[in-house]
Amino acid sequence: MLFSLSGTKSNMDPALINFRVLYVVTQLCGLTVIVLVGTLIGQHFGGLGGTANPKQEFNWHPLFMTIGFIYLYGNSILVYRGFRTTRKKTLKLTHAGIHMAAFILTVIALKTVFDSHNLADPPIPNMYSLHSWLGLSAVLIFCLQYVAGFMAFLVPGMRENYKIALMPLHVYFGLFGFVLAIASALMGLTEKAIFAIPNYATLPASGVLTNIIGVLYVIFGSLVVYLATDPAYKRKPIPEDTALLTGASQE
C-alpha cells in the first residue's frame, strides 16, 4: 500500500485509521474504473486499434485518459498523505514522476483522438464540443502546474518566500485541474455513449456499464478531493524533513 502499516490500531490516531480505510476504498474505486473502461472498450466498442481503424484507435483515448488523467493524477495529489513516513524530498520526486507518467499517457490519448477524427472518412471536426474545450483546458492547467511546480519546488535556487507564496496556488489549481478532468471525462463518456450506443435510452448492458463508470469517476474524484483537503489527514513532518520543510509547504 501507499502508506506505512506500522503501529496498531489501539495506539493510532482515529483520523489516521479513517484515512487508511478511505484511501483503500479510493484505490479500489480507481482500479475498478480502469478495469471497467477496458471492459467497455473490449466488449462493446470494438477493442483497440491503430491508425488503419480510426474508430478503434479512438478507444485508446478514454483508456489512457482514465489511467493517466484521472487515476494517476488523483494519486499524485494524494502522494504526500499516502506515503506518510517517506522523506519529503522523495515525495517531491515521486509526485513529479507520477505527474510525468500521467502527462505522457495524456499526450498519447490526445493524439489518438485527433487521429481518429482526422483519419475518419469523412473527417470529423475537432474541438467543437464542450467536452473538448474543458478537456483541453484541464490539460493546459495540468501542464502549467507541472512546469510551475517543477521550477519552484525541484529546481534549486528558488527563494523560500516565493515557495511559500506559490504553494496555496499550486494546491488550488492542482485540485481545480483534477475536478475539471473528472467533469470532462463525464461529458466525454456521455458523448461517446450517445454516438456509439444506438439504443442507449433503453439502457442496454453497454449503457448500464457506461453509467456505472461515470458514477465511479465521481466517487473516485470526490474521495481524492476529500482526502487531500481534510486538515485531519494532513501529513506531519518527520525528522528527516528538517532541512526541506517550511510551514507552508505541508500538504
Side-chain angles (χ1 to χ4, degrees), residues 8-198:
T8 62
K9 289 188 177 181
S10 60
N11 57 17
M12 244 192 266
D13 183 350
L16 183 56
I17 296 174
N18 292 337
F19 174 85
R20 292 181 174 184
V21 172
L22 291 174
Y23 189 89
V24 170
V25 172
T26 303
Q27 295 304 316
L28 291 175
C29 182
L31 293 172
T32 299
V33 78
I34 292 172
V35 171
L36 292 183
V37 169
T39 302
L40 180 67
I41 290 169
Q43 292 190 358
H44 301 287
F45 291 163
L48 303 169
T51 55
N53 190 325
K55 287 185 178 180
Q56 289 183 342
E57 185 185 10
F58 171 85
N59 290 335
W60 289 104
H61 178 73
L63 180 62
F64 279 174
M65 279 298 194
T66 298
I67 297 172
F69 211 43
I70 293 180
Y71 182 71
L72 291 182
Y73 192 174
N75 273 286
S76 181
I77 290 172
L78 294 179
V79 70
Y80 287 96
R81 297 187 176 202
F83 291 87
R84 306 188 70 85
T85 60
T86 303
R87 292 184 60 189
K88 189 69 176 289
K89 183 176 181 180
T90 302
L91 292 179
K92 288 183 179 182
L93 294 173
T94 303
H95 181 70
I98 297 175
H99 261 63
M100 177 55 69
F103 172 75
I104 292 170
L105 290 176
T106 299
V107 169
I108 297 172
L110 290 176
K111 180 183 184 303
T112 62
V113 73
F114 281 112
D115 278 353
S116 69
H117 283 191
N118 297 331
L119 298 175
D121 186 19
I124 300 171
N126 292 306
M127 300 301 300
Y128 68 89
S129 66
L130 182 58
H131 163 65
S132 62
W133 287 21
L134 292 185
L136 189 59
S137 297
V139 171
L140 291 175
I141 291 171
F142 177 88
C143 293
L144 291 173
Q145 273 281 100
Y146 189 86
V147 172
F150 188 88
M151 296 298 295
F153 304 113
L154 285 177
V155 175
M158 178 66 72
R159 292 177 58 180
E160 199 64 37
N161 59 330
Y162 289 158
K163 294 182 181 180
I164 294 172
L166 181 61
M167 179 56 71
L169 294 175
H170 185 66
V171 171
Y172 171 78
F173 281 103
L175 289 170
F176 176 67
F178 177 70
V179 171
L180 198 58
I182 295 289
S184 177
L186 293 172
M187 292 179 185
L189 191 66
T190 303
E191 186 179 302
K192 177 65 175 177
I194 291 172
F195 287 150
I197 305 175

